[in-house]
Amino acid sequence: MLLLRRIVQERRSHCGFSSISPLHVVFMLCCLIFVNSCIKHSFVLQALGLILWIVCWADLFYSFWERSQNIFRAPFFLISPTVLGITMLLATFLIQHERMKGVQSSGVMMIFWLISLLCATVIFRSKIMLALNTDTEVDAFRYVTFCTYFILLLVQLILSCFPEKPPLFSEAVNDPKPCPEFSASFLSRITFWWITGLMIQGYRRPLEAKDLWSLNKEDTSEEVVPGLSRNWAKEWAKNKRQPLNILYSSKKQQKSSDSNGEVTEEAEALIIKPSQRNSEASLSKVLYKTFGPYFLMSFLFKAAHDLLMFAGPEILKLLINFVNNKNAPDWQGYFYTGLLFVCACLQTLILHQYFHICFVTGMRLKTAIVGVIYRKALVITNSARKTSTVGEIVNLMSVDAQRFMDLATYINMIWSAPLQVILALYLLWQNLGPSVLAGVAVMILLVPVNAVMAVKTKTYQVAQMKSKDNRIKLMNEILNGIKVLKLYAWELAFREKVLEIRQKELKVLKKSAYLAAVGTFTWVCAPFLVALSTFAVYVKIDKNNVLDAQKAFVSLALFNILRFPLNILPMVISSIVEASVSLKRLRVFLSHEELDPDSIIRGPITNAEGSIVVKNATFSWSKTDPPSLNSINFTVPEGSLIAVVGQVGCGKSSLLSALLGEMDKKEGYVVVKGSVAYVPQQAWIQNATLEDNIIFGREMNESRYKRVIEACALLPDLEILPMGDRTEIGEKGVNLSGGQKQRVSLARAVYCNADTYLFDDPLSAVDAHVGKHIFEKVIGPKGILKNKTRVLVTHAVNYLPQMDTILVMTDGEISEMGSYQELLKQDGAFAEFLRTYANAEQSRESNANSPSGKEGKPVENGVLVNEAPGKLMHRQLSNSSTYSRETGKSQHQSSTAELQKPLAEKNSWKLTEADSAKTGRVRSPAPWRGQLSGFFVSFLCSAFFFSMKYNTQSRSSFPGIAVFGYSMAVSIGGIFASQHLHLDLLHNVLRSPMSFFERTPSGNLVNRFSKEIDTIDSAIPPIIKMFMGSTFNVIGACIIILLATPIAAVIIPPLGLVYLLVQRFYVATSRQLKRLESVSRSPVYSHFNETLLGVSVIRAFEEQKRFIKQNDVKVDENQKAYYPSIVANRWLAIRLEFVGNCIVLFAALFAVIARNKLSPGLVGLSVSYSLQITAYLNWLVRMTSDLETNIVAVERVKEYAEMEKEAEWSIEESAPASTWPEEGKIQFQGFGLRYREDLDLVLKNINITINGGEKGWVENADGKRYDPILFSGSLRMNLDPFDQHSDEDIWRSLELAHLKNFVSSLPDKLNHECSEGGENLSVGQRQLVCLARALLRKSKILVLDEATAAVDLETDNLIQSTIKSQFEECTVLTIAHRLNTIMDYTRVLVLDRGEVVECDSPDNLLQAKGLFYSMAKDSGLA
């Protein structure tokens, strides 16, 4: 106000008061308001709104005053200010309402002020012209008020272009990197200017993950997934009364489902009864209900765009009439030119808002689908898991979710394409009359052709997805069992298996390519045939019908519009077909049976008879399978210790699974009191720190944590781990020994402080002295769980006397039950077993309890060490890693911080290598270079005819044939390139050393074999086709414009230069965003694979919510890179289409300027093709960005070609004879070994000769316990994958492994189908199958690495006696925890710190009283 006062005073002093008009005052007020707008933006807008209301009603009151003075005006002077005043008042209230909602920039208000100003501009011009006319009288009051009104509207419009500051009452945002979208102005949002900062940053340097903004709240999994989950749950519950009748295929059906023994998920997952078809839950309805509102918004934008599209031909008609009429004033031409430019710009802005909504909706759709798939995977039954393998579910998350994402962009074309066709035909009817019906007839004739192609496309899509599922399933099994493949040298054989499936997949791809080429030919010819038939009929039906410039080029412009929906229809149909296949696959998966949470009563039950009560319970693994557990009856009192014993495959592990609710309860009553902790037989370890694996999402309690670490014998391991308990553990615990994994699994259960503990043979993987320590400190009557309810499955009979109750399992039933003494008194089968095997154990127990038993005991083998800082963690054998009660006490008193290594070492190494993003330009890989160069000539030729067809509407069908040829060339070339890339990827991965698999998360590899290969197969070839077509369309249109209006040569080259500069500026950022998106996708797959492997543990600990949250976070991290990429694409498209709109502007402008020199035909030709430039550029931009970003998939597939490789699989020059080894002699001379080049030696200076036929035992052998790996397929395939042995030999090996009776009892015998990972067999049975596989090879050297750790003592003794008798002439190397089984071996090799310290016969070593003697003493053998 001081400034205003000073200005007024200056005006008074210089000019007098009369020279200060009201306009001056209003202008100065507006200036002050504008200056202070940054401080109180919204208040200024409201104040101006009130002033506008006052100004409008000032006119109203002035009209009333005039009436009082008997001056009567038209009603307009009363109605207009009244309506305007009310409008301005409502606008003011709307400003306040949006301010209360926290809106920082209102698009509604900006559009309102713009329209108001445009309307006022017309009146303002009239008033100025009226004022300049000296003959007319001016109404001074209304003149001043209107000028004030006009200036205030202008100020409101200017202010609405700037965003407000967030209101003081808005919620505090703690996000360090919020997305600037919602704080940007409306203009910035509709032009996507708000991402320019990131684009500049990406142009200056490669973007990194830390540069990305956080995801908008409404796009996060937390907001998106619950909606779809909730709607699907309602739909599924509605149809649950008549459930989807999914019949899981029987084993016989699986066997005969494929001639090669392959079982496809689609076939085995579904056999739906026709009568139930109407009761199926509709996933499409659920998706519509969840995402319908978003598609409604896109519908409105698309409708507006389509209507504006037809404004171009109508304005062209007016422009041609203007050129024809030489007497028309010039301003008409300039007006039409400006109108054409404005319409084109509006069309661009609206179209890309539509695309933005579609892409964001597609992103949300993918997020929701991945979320519901993950949630469903946590609750499906074990029988459903057999049909929906990891490979299929990964494809659902990657390929099928992507199909839905792609469909979101095209879904509106279902109605938009017919609408465009109808509007174009209507306008053509107006222009050409009934002759348009000829074109309609041509289009109708093409409909059946399209229908047939759609049906065939769907068939091929289903077949392709089946092959893809099988391939990913097999690859997943190969990656999980890679150690087995390398030990057996099966890489080449399994590579052929993968390539066999891949060939089927490529065969279907080729058929799809042929069909797509036919479809392209049909639809490329369609607009030409429609135009030809229409024009021909028009000329022939009436001699007076002449194709003048107006009719020809307006019709041509309409035909050009008609061409787009007809050309896009094949892609839309293909996308819909692919999505329908994916929809069915996803519906099938989501309709799988879920575990019944009410089958087992869990929770704090006070009136229960005991902690565990089971009455007349019968369980099976699925509803269609026969019962695995029959008539189970037992009660476990609170705080008691129960043992479950029995032979391999008798149902011990199944009993624990039943108590966890993992099996289908047929009948009976089961209660498990309180919380449950579960230790599986095969330890499940996460890719996390050791501390995180133990705490497992719970709060840190330091004192309890230290007690657990000490009790589980992990303190010595922590001392030698590089970072103590902060050491990173690899996937599946690859850098831990079997015993260490089991003790970490045990520590996790103990730390959670549950009410009931279920232990599935955790002591089988540890040495005898470590097992004794764990039993005493943790499980036994004096352990830290002594007051808890414990159920222990075990084969160790020496612990049975300390049990409260022993359950004896036989063939799925409890045959005997009672205390140790009671069972002996019963004198049953179990008592006989105890008398046979317990004597030695009892003597060991008594010796172990003697004072000498307190000496230091060596801890279990295969611990990890990192002797040199800065080196990667590795396994090393150390006998100095000891545990004793004395040291245990001192270590127990140490703090948790002491369990962790100095933080300086933290950054010196990392076990697993995260997927990394490359930088710079994408190097064109050799296969694609070959394809592009090989077909470049065909591209040029076909593109020439392609553009000739589009630009001249030749009457020949040759352009369509040329398009067919180049479409075939690109498709087949793409398939060849994809074939080579997949072959190279598979070859490179299989030739990688084991260290590569230990440090590379499986999700990285699965990502390459699923999503990246699918991109190369299905996405890149059609993108190349459309890219080339769009490029030559643009070039052809520019040539036509230059020929018609040569003066356009002044402007088109500079605009082309601008186009190229903007494109290059964009690509640097877009390419890196695609890399970051690809890199962040791998952790999603890794986490998902990890979850599926440990789903029973997650459910037992009731940690589903935490894992769902982790999955959501990883998916959001992936979308953080995807969202900026789609916005950047829109940023580019708007700017490049603006270049196209400038071409429209200048083509029309030059036509107006040279109207006297140009014929109407040339004007029509030039402008009609300039109108298509924008559409061509839009598609070219999209294809360019898609090609640049999708080619990153090729880069990532080729990435592993540069990794370190093993030697060639076979070297002819040094190949041994086929009979090698002839005598089984093993000789080491000065042998040293390291896991990687950057690590220390783990074996040093080994000098030993093992003669043929010797039986040796290795103590402190490195590496884990050998996990029994089986592959999905028949039992025969797992024993003899390559049909090298007869059935007689196979049965003989099964007999030697003591599996013959079990396999003979199976319905399909050797053709019994093993599920993925052999999950339908017990761990003991899996070990015996692996043993039979080794025995079948009849090698001169037999290596047994914990081959019988999970079997009972009786079976173990039988197997040992078999080995001694049947392999008398073979060299046998055994690694085992049970020392009694090797006391009659020829020699025992004892290692310490990677060096041989003892090597002699067991008797001599016992007499020497060295390390072996101390271990034998701990085991009660000395």
Side-chain angles (χ1 to χ4, degrees):
M1 292 306 293
L2 291 174
L3 178 62
L4 178 61
R5 190 178 301 155
R6 188 175 301 166
I7 294 172
V8 171
Q9 287 173 352
E10 289 178 359
R11 294 288 294 176
R12 276 182 185 171
S13 61
H14 288 88
C15 306
F17 184 79
S18 61
S19 63
I20 303 178
S21 68
L23 283 177
H24 289 124
V25 176
V26 170
F27 179 75
M28 288 184 286
L29 277 171
C30 292
C31 290
L32 283 174
I33 290 168
F34 188 74
V35 169
N36 294 317
S37 63
C38 293
I39 303 173
K40 297 181 179 178
H41 196 159
S42 59
F43 292 110
V44 173
L45 289 172
Q46 291 177 50
L48 288 176
L50 290 172
I51 295 172
L52 278 167
W53 170 62
I54 293 170
V55 169
C56 292
W57 278 25
D59 275 0
L60 177 64
F61 291 123
Y62 183 69
S63 296
F64 285 134
W65 178 81
E66 283 183 325
R67 283 177 172 267
S68 67
Q69 301 298 318
N70 292 325
I71 303 172
F72 294 96
R73 304 275 187 183
F76 165 79
F77 290 95
L78 289 173
I79 296 171
S80 177
T82 302
V83 173
L84 275 178
I86 293 172
T87 303
M88 295 305 158
L89 196 60
L90 290 174
T92 306
F93 289 145
L94 183 58
I95 291 171
Q96 175 63 16
H97 173 70
E98 290 189 331
R99 176 175 170 271
M100 295 298 292
K101 288 177 64 178
V103 177
Q104 293 178 250
S105 180
S106 172
V108 174
M109 293 312 303
M110 183 180 175
I111 294 172
F112 170 75
W113 296 126
L114 176 63
I115 294 173
S116 299
L117 185 67
L118 290 175
C119 294
T121 301
V122 179
I123 304 173
F124 188 62
R125 176 182 176 276
S126 301
K127 287 188 176 289
I128 291 175
M129 292 181 67
L130 190 66
L132 293 175
N133 189 349
T134 55
D135 297 334
T136 56
E137 182 181 352
V138 176
D139 189 337
F141 183 84
R142 287 192 172 88
Y143 179 76
V144 171
T145 55
F146 184 80
C147 290
T148 306
Y149 168 78
F150 184 82
I151 293 172
L152 288 173
L153 285 179
L154 181 61
V155 173
Q156 285 277 34
L157 179 62
I158 293 171
L159 288 178
S160 64
C161 294
F162 299 94
E164 298 182 35
K165 294 179 181 178
L168 297 175
F169 49 81
S170 62
E171 295 180 4
V173 178
N174 299 320
D175 195 339
K177 292 280 289 185
C179 181
E181 180 179 4
F182 288 99
S183 61
S185 67
F186 174 70
L187 278 179
S188 179
R189 291 208 301 272
I190 63 172
T191 59
F192 300 95
W193 186 263
W194 56 270
I195 201 177
T196 305
L198 187 69
M199 304 292 291
I200 294 171
Q201 190 177 3
Y203 182 73
R204 289 175 177 169
R205 64 168 178 82
L207 291 175
E208 301 174 14
K210 64 182 180 182
D211 299 321
L212 302 178
W213 301 309
S214 299
L215 210 57
N216 293 323
K217 186 178 179 182
E218 58 269 25
D219 297 330
T220 59
S221 299
E222 186 181 3
E223 294 289 322
V224 174
V225 180
L228 182 60
S229 297
R230 191 166 48 248
N231 290 332
W232 171 253
K234 290 179 183 176
E235 180 69 16
W236 197 47
K238 192 190 304 178
N239 295 274
K240 208 172 182 181
R241 295 167 191 164
Q242 296 178 333
L244 183 66
N245 196 4
I246 300 179
L247 300 179
Y248 300 104
S249 300
S250 67
K251 293 162 186 173
K252 289 184 179 179
Q253 288 169 324
Q254 290 177 354
K255 168 189 167 186
S256 60
S257 61
D258 195 300
S259 60
N260 296 323
E262 304 276 1
V263 184
T264 56
E265 282 76 7
E266 192 77 20
E268 66 179 329
L270 271 186
I271 301 176
I272 304 176
K273 289 185 178 179
S275 60
Q276 298 291 333
R277 190 172 184 84
N278 295 330
S279 65
E280 293 175 359
S282 172
L283 182 58
S284 55
K285 188 193 299 182
V286 170
L287 292 175
Y288 172 76
K289 190 182 296 183
T290 308
F291 298 99
Y294 303 116
F295 285 110
L296 178 61
M297 285 297 299
S298 65
F299 166 83
L300 297 175
F301 279 105
K302 183 62 176 167
H305 167 265
D306 290 352
L307 292 175
L308 275 173
M309 188 187 298
F310 291 94
E314 294 303 307
I315 297 172
L316 174 62
K317 183 190 294 185
L318 296 173
L319 195 61
I320 292 175
N321 287 337
F322 164 77
V323 173
N324 271 331
N325 185 3
K326 303 300 181 183
N327 298 322
D330 289 345
W331 69 264
Q332 283 187 8
Y334 295 122
F335 173 74
Y336 296 148
T337 300
L339 191 60
L340 201 60
F341 179 70
V342 169
C343 284
C345 289
L346 276 177
Q347 194 175 328
T348 295
L349 292 176
I350 291 172
L351 177 65
H352 292 293
Q353 286 302 311
Y354 157 74
F355 274 133
H356 182 64
I357 292 172
C358 287
F359 276 110
V360 171
T361 304
M363 180 184 76
R364 291 174 180 170
L365 187 60
K366 182 178 180 180
T367 297
I369 288 172
V370 171
V372 296
I373 289 172
Y374 186 87
R375 285 157 174 77
K376 182 71 177 184
L378 288 173
V379 296
I380 60 174
T381 62
N382 286 279
S383 55
R385 277 286 303 277
K386 293 177 186 176
T387 57
S388 292
T389 60
V390 174
E392 182 185 351
I393 302 174
V394 167
N395 273 339
L396 284 173
M397 296 179 71
S398 57
V399 179
D400 294 288
Q402 186 66 39
R403 297 281 189 265
F404 285 105
M405 199 171 178
D406 296 338
L407 179 65
T409 314
Y410 301 112
I411 190 69
N412 280 292
M413 290 304 297
I414 294 174
W415 62 264
S416 176
L419 175 66
Q420 291 179 31
V421 170
I422 291 168
L423 288 175
L425 291 175
Y426 170 76
L427 293 175
L428 282 168
W429 182 286
Q430 297 292 318
N431 206 36
L432 298 175
S435 57
V436 175
L437 294 174
V440 174
V442 172
M443 293 171 61
I444 292 173
L445 288 174
L446 291 174
V447 171
V449 179
N450 236 338
V452 171
M453 287 193 294
V455 171
K456 292 297 293 181
T457 302
K458 184 171 183 178
T459 304
Y460 293 150
Q461 180 68 16
V462 170
Q464 183 188 348
M465 292 307 298
K466 284 182 181 178
S467 297
K468 200 181 295 290
D469 284 346
N470 288 335
R471 178 170 57 83
I472 299 302
K473 179 179 75 172
L474 182 56
M475 279 309 307
N476 194 68
E477 291 188 286
I478 287 173
L479 295 175
N480 286 336
I482 189 67
K483 187 175 182 181
V484 176
L485 262 67
K486 289 191 174 293
L487 288 175
Y488 280 97
W490 282 351
E491 297 103 314
L492 280 173
F494 270 84
R495 188 187 75 155
E496 293 306 313
K497 278 179 166 289
V498 174
L499 293 179
E500 183 182 345
I501 300 174
R502 178 67 175 162
Q503 282 304 118
K504 294 178 183 177
E505 191 178 352
L506 291 174
K507 188 177 179 181
V508 176
L509 270 175
K510 285 181 183 178
K511 291 180 181 178
S512 298
Y514 299 147
L515 193 64
V518 173
T520 303
F521 168 77
T522 304
W523 291 108
V524 163
C525 292
F528 163 72
L529 294 174
V530 169
L532 178 65
S533 58
T534 302
F535 284 147
V537 171
Y538 177 76
V539 172
K540 293 292 183 181
I541 60 174
D542 194 339
K543 293 181 179 179
N544 296 323
N545 289 347
V546 178
L547 277 176
D548 56 13
Q550 178 185 327
K551 287 188 181 295
F553 290 107
V554 170
S555 299
L556 194 59
L558 291 170
F559 280 127
N560 283 336
I561 290 175
L562 187 63
R563 184 169 63 243
F564 178 77
L566 293 180
N567 283 342
I568 202 69
L569 270 178
M571 183 181 293
V572 174
I573 292 169
S574 175
S575 184
I576 291 172
V577 167
E578 289 175 351
S580 67
V581 173
S582 296
L583 186 75
K584 180 184 176 184
R585 287 161 49 83
L586 182 59
R587 180 181 58 79
V588 168
F589 176 74
L590 294 179
S591 300
H592 277 320
E593 295 175 6
E594 296 183 1
L595 292 171
D596 182 7
D598 300 324
S599 64
I600 308 297
I601 302 173
R602 288 179 62 173
I605 303 166
T606 56
N607 57 352
E609 302 172 17
S611 288
I612 301 175
V613 179
V614 183
K615 294 182 179 179
N616 300 319
T618 299
F619 299 92
S620 68
W621 284 108
S622 74
K623 291 182 178 179
T624 57
D625 285 353
S628 301
L629 298 174
N630 290 292
S631 304
I632 304 297
N633 287 278
F634 69 93
T635 299
V636 180
E638 189 171 349
S640 59
L641 175 58
I642 307 296
V644 182
V645 297
Q647 290 188 335
V648 173
C650 66
K652 303 184 296 297
S653 298
S654 297
L655 180 62
L656 298 191
S657 296
L659 295 177
L660 291 171
E662 297 287 320
M663 299 181 71
D664 181 58
K665 187 180 71 173
K666 299 283 189 182
E667 60 182 5
Y669 171 77
V670 183
V671 175
V672 179
K673 182 178 178 181
S675 57
V676 175
Y678 172 54
V679 180
Q681 192 170 10
Q682 283 188 300
W684 174 67
I685 304 296
Q686 288 185 273
N687 181 201
T689 66
L690 189 133
E691 179 188 291
D692 290 338
N693 269 285
I694 294 173
I695 293 177
F696 204 53
R698 287 163 172 77
E699 293 182 3
M700 167 59 81
N701 182 321
E702 189 169 333
S703 61
R704 179 169 185 79
Y705 181 73
K706 287 188 292 184
R707 288 201 309 274
V708 170
I709 291 291
E710 187 272 335
C712 294
L714 283 170
L715 279 175
D717 301 295
L718 297 184
E719 289 181 348
I720 54 178
L721 289 174
M723 290 291 298
D725 60 357
R726 296 291 177 89
T727 299
E728 182 192 9
I729 309 302
E731 274 193 338
K732 307 180 188 75
V734 292
N735 51 335
L736 295 180
S737 70
Q740 286 171 325
K741 288 193 289 185
Q742 196 62 274
R743 284 183 279 125
V744 170
S745 177
L746 182 67
R748 174 173 60 211
V750 176
Y751 183 82
C752 81
N753 196 25
D755 299 312
T756 302
Y757 285 82
L758 304 179
F759 300 104
D760 193 354
D761 202 12
L763 305 179
S764 63
V766 299
D767 290 333
H769 60 282
V770 179
K772 181 174 179 293
H773 168 84
I774 290 174
F775 187 81
E776 289 179 350
K777 295 288 186 178
V778 179
I779 302 172
K782 297 180 181 179
I784 60 176
L785 300 180
K786 60 185 177 183
N787 296 321
K788 306 289 185 179
T789 303
R790 293 142 290 159
V791 178
L792 173 66
V793 171
T794 185
H795 293 296
V797 297
N798 55 310
Y799 302 126
L800 297 183
Q802 302 181 57
M803 301 293 169
D804 297 320
T805 307
I806 300 172
L807 302 182
V808 183
M809 300 288 297
T810 305
D811 296 330
E813 296 182 354
I814 299 177
S815 59
E816 298 177 71
M817 181 170 62
S819 66
Y820 184 78
Q821 296 299 329
E822 289 172 349
L823 290 177
L824 286 177
K825 289 178 182 176
Q826 290 177 12
D827 201 23
F830 185 69
E832 180 64 26
F833 170 80
L834 287 177
R835 281 193 288 271
T836 305
Y837 293 100
N839 293 331
E841 299 290 339
Q842 293 296 329
S843 64
R844 291 177 217 161
E845 183 66 21
S846 61
N847 288 335
N849 290 332
S850 65
S852 62
K854 293 186 178 180
E855 295 178 6
K857 302 177 177 64
V859 182
E860 171 195 4
N861 322 324
V863 294
L864 307 177
V865 70
N866 188 2
E867 295 179 347
K871 303 233 175 165
L872 287 174
M873 177 170 57
H874 65 285
R875 308 187 191 99
Q876 179 164 322
L877 315 174
S878 174
N879 195 46
S880 65
S881 170
T882 61
Y883 182 86
S884 68
R885 290 181 174 87
E886 287 77 8
T887 57
K889 289 177 182 177
S890 62
Q891 289 163 332
H892 173 71
Q893 294 165 359
S894 63
S895 66
T896 307
E898 293 170 358
L899 303 179
Q900 302 165 6
K901 298 290 179 176
L903 290 178
E905 297 181 22
K906 185 171 185 178
N907 298 322
S908 63
W909 67 275
K910 184 170 176 61
L911 175 71
T912 54
E913 296 179 355
D915 227 349
S916 58
K918 292 183 178 290
T919 58
R921 297 191 64 183
V922 179
R923 291 180 298 168
S924 179
W928 280 103
R929 283 201 300 271
Q931 187 214 352
L932 292 174
S933 60
F935 296 113
F936 186 66
V937 175
S938 68
F939 275 150
L940 290 178
C941 297
S942 57
F944 169 75
F945 292 114
F946 193 55
S947 59
M948 181 182 75
K949 179 259 173 195
Y950 277 169
N951 298 329
T952 64
Q953 296 291 326
S954 168
R955 296 192 178 193
S956 170
S957 61
F958 186 70
I961 298 172
V963 170
F964 174 79
Y966 106 90
S967 177
M968 285 293 300
V970 177
S971 298
I972 301 303
I975 290 171
F976 285 145
S978 177
Q979 183 177 12
H980 285 296
L981 286 168
H982 178 268
L983 181 62
D984 289 347
L985 175 63
L986 182 63
H987 183 80
N988 290 328
V989 167
L990 290 178
R991 275 195 59 206
S992 298
M994 276 304 301
S995 57
F996 167 78
F997 297 97
E998 290 177 356
R999 65 174 181 259
T1000 304
S1002 60
N1004 296 10
L1005 298 169
V1006 173
N1007 189 8
R1008 261 72 166 188
F1009 281 102
S1010 59
K1011 182 65 175 67
E1012 311 296 6
I1013 290 294
D1014 180 68
T1015 299
I1016 296 168
D1017 285 346
S1018 307
I1020 293 181
I1023 288 174
I1024 290 179
K1025 286 190 288 186
M1026 290 183 284
F1027 169 78
M1028 296 301 294
S1030 301
T1031 300
F1032 285 99
N1033 279 336
V1034 172
I1035 294 172
C1038 288
I1039 292 172
I1040 293 293
I1041 294 169
L1042 288 171
L1043 290 175
T1045 51
I1047 195 173
V1050 177
I1051 198 65
I1052 285 182
L1055 289 176
L1057 181 62
V1058 170
Y1059 176 94
L1060 292 175
L1061 290 175
V1062 174
Q1063 179 80 9
R1064 290 196 62 182
F1065 178 76
Y1066 156 82
V1067 161
T1069 300
S1070 173
R1071 180 176 53 221
Q1072 202 63 19
L1073 286 171
K1074 182 64 178 179
R1075 284 168 171 158
L1076 291 172
E1077 191 262 333
S1078 297
V1079 163
S1080 60
R1081 196 189 308 124
S1082 296
V1084 177
Y1085 300 145
S1086 294
H1087 181 254
F1088 185 71
N1089 280 336
E1090 190 174 72
T1091 301
L1092 288 182
L1093 289 172
V1095 68
S1096 60
V1097 177
I1098 295 169
R1099 289 196 287 242
F1101 284 83
E1102 297 183 329
E1103 288 288 327
Q1104 294 96 320
K1105 288 184 179 179
R1106 181 167 66 87
F1107 276 81
I1108 286 171
K1109 178 68 175 175
Q1110 288 179 2
N1111 180 72
D1112 289 351
V1113 168
K1114 292 181 187 297
V1115 171
D1116 289 348
E1117 284 296 315
N1118 180 232
Q1119 302 293 33
K1120 269 174 62 175
Y1122 177 74
Y1123 183 68
S1125 69
I1126 59 177
V1127 176
N1129 191 254
R1130 304 276 65 78
W1131 179 94
L1132 174 71
I1134 281 185
R1135 279 141 189 82
L1136 295 190
E1137 284 192 27
F1138 181 75
V1139 173
N1141 295 338
C1142 288
I1143 293 176
V1144 174
L1145 171 66
F1146 287 109
L1149 187 62
F1150 293 147
V1152 171
I1153 292 171
R1155 59 185 287 201
N1156 295 322
K1157 300 177 183 177
L1158 295 176
S1159 67
L1162 287 177
V1163 171
L1165 184 66
S1166 175
V1167 176
S1168 63
Y1169 277 93
S1170 70
L1171 286 172
Q1172 291 304 301
I1173 284 282
T1174 302
Y1176 293 152
L1177 280 177
N1178 169 41
W1179 206 244
L1180 181 59
V1181 167
R1182 195 157 165 201
M1183 294 304 103
T1184 304
S1185 61
D1186 283 355
L1187 182 59
E1188 181 66 32
T1189 52
N1190 281 294
I1191 206 72
V1192 170
V1194 181
E1195 177 187 71
R1196 286 168 58 76
V1197 165
K1198 293 293 291 180
E1199 184 181 343
Y1200 290 138
E1202 303 164 5
M1203 299 292 184
E1204 177 193 0
K1205 299 290 178 293
E1206 294 176 330
E1208 292 292 339
W1209 284 310
S1210 60
I1211 303 173
E1212 296 297 331
E1213 296 78 16
S1214 58
S1218 59
T1219 57
W1220 180 89
E1222 295 178 356
E1223 54 177 312
K1225 183 178 180 180
I1226 304 172
Q1227 188 172 9
F1228 294 94
Q1229 292 181 348
F1231 181 73
L1233 176 71
R1234 57 167 55 94
Y1235 281 99
R1236 288 190 291 274
E1237 289 184 358
D1238 56 340
L1239 301 180
D1240 294 333
L1241 290 171
V1242 292
L1243 292 178
K1244 308 167 190 174
N1245 195 28
I1246 305 295
N1247 291 282
I1248 186 173
T1249 299
I1250 303 172
N1251 297 315
E1254 279 195 284
K1255 308 294 184 289
W1257 180 68
V1258 184
E1259 168 58 22
N1260 275 358
D1262 72 319
K1264 57 184 181 180
R1265 169 189 156 188
Y1266 173 58
D1267 290 329
I1269 301 294
L1270 298 184
F1271 301 96
S1272 61
S1274 69
L1275 192 60
R1276 193 190 198 291
M1277 188 278 293
N1278 274 282
L1279 292 168
D1280 181 25
F1282 313 113
D1283 295 325
Q1284 297 173 340
H1285 302 278
S1286 65
D1287 282 4
E1288 184 181 351
D1289 291 337
I1290 294 174
W1291 280 110
R1292 177 62 179 158
S1293 69
L1294 289 172
E1295 184 179 7
L1296 293 175
H1298 295 273
L1299 270 177
K1300 185 176 181 180
N1301 292 338
F1302 167 72
V1303 176
S1304 299
S1305 67
L1306 297 172
D1308 297 324
K1309 306 293 191 294
L1310 291 176
N1311 292 317
H1312 172 73
E1313 284 291 328
C1314 297
S1315 61
E1316 194 171 13
E1319 290 183 355
N1320 55 346
L1321 298 176
S1322 71
V1323 177
Q1325 288 169 333
R1326 278 180 253 168
Q1327 282 195 332
L1328 295 180
V1329 170
C1330 292
L1331 177 62
R1333 184 162 58 196
L1335 299 177
L1336 185 63
R1337 291 169 69 92
K1338 298 179 181 177
S1339 302
K1340 286 290 184 180
I1341 300 173
L1342 179 65
V1343 182
L1344 302 176
D1345 185 359
E1346 294 294 344
T1348 57
V1351 302
D1352 58 279
L1353 291 175
E1354 183 180 3
T1355 306
D1356 191 4
N1357 283 345
L1358 289 172
I1359 289 171
Q1360 294 298 335
S1361 62
T1362 300
I1363 291 172
K1364 291 163 191 171
S1365 61
Q1366 299 296 323
F1367 293 87
E1368 186 176 359
E1369 298 180 358
C1370 296
T1371 303
V1372 180
L1373 296 179
T1374 301
I1375 301 167
H1377 292 312
R1378 295 169 178 167
L1379 269 66
N1380 63 305
T1381 60
I1382 53 88
M1383 293 307 289
D1384 57 349
Y1385 273 37
T1386 311
R1387 276 193 288 175
V1388 173
L1389 177 68
V1390 182
L1391 301 176
D1392 181 22
R1393 293 186 179 275
E1395 298 184 71
V1396 177
V1397 291
E1398 293 180 3
C1399 183
D1400 209 335
S1401 66
D1403 291 338
N1404 291 340
L1405 290 179
L1406 288 174
Q1407 292 176 7
K1409 295 192 175 181
L1411 288 175
F1412 180 74
Y1413 172 79
S1414 64
M1415 287 185 284
K1417 192 172 184 179
D1418 290 336
S1419 300
L1421 298 175

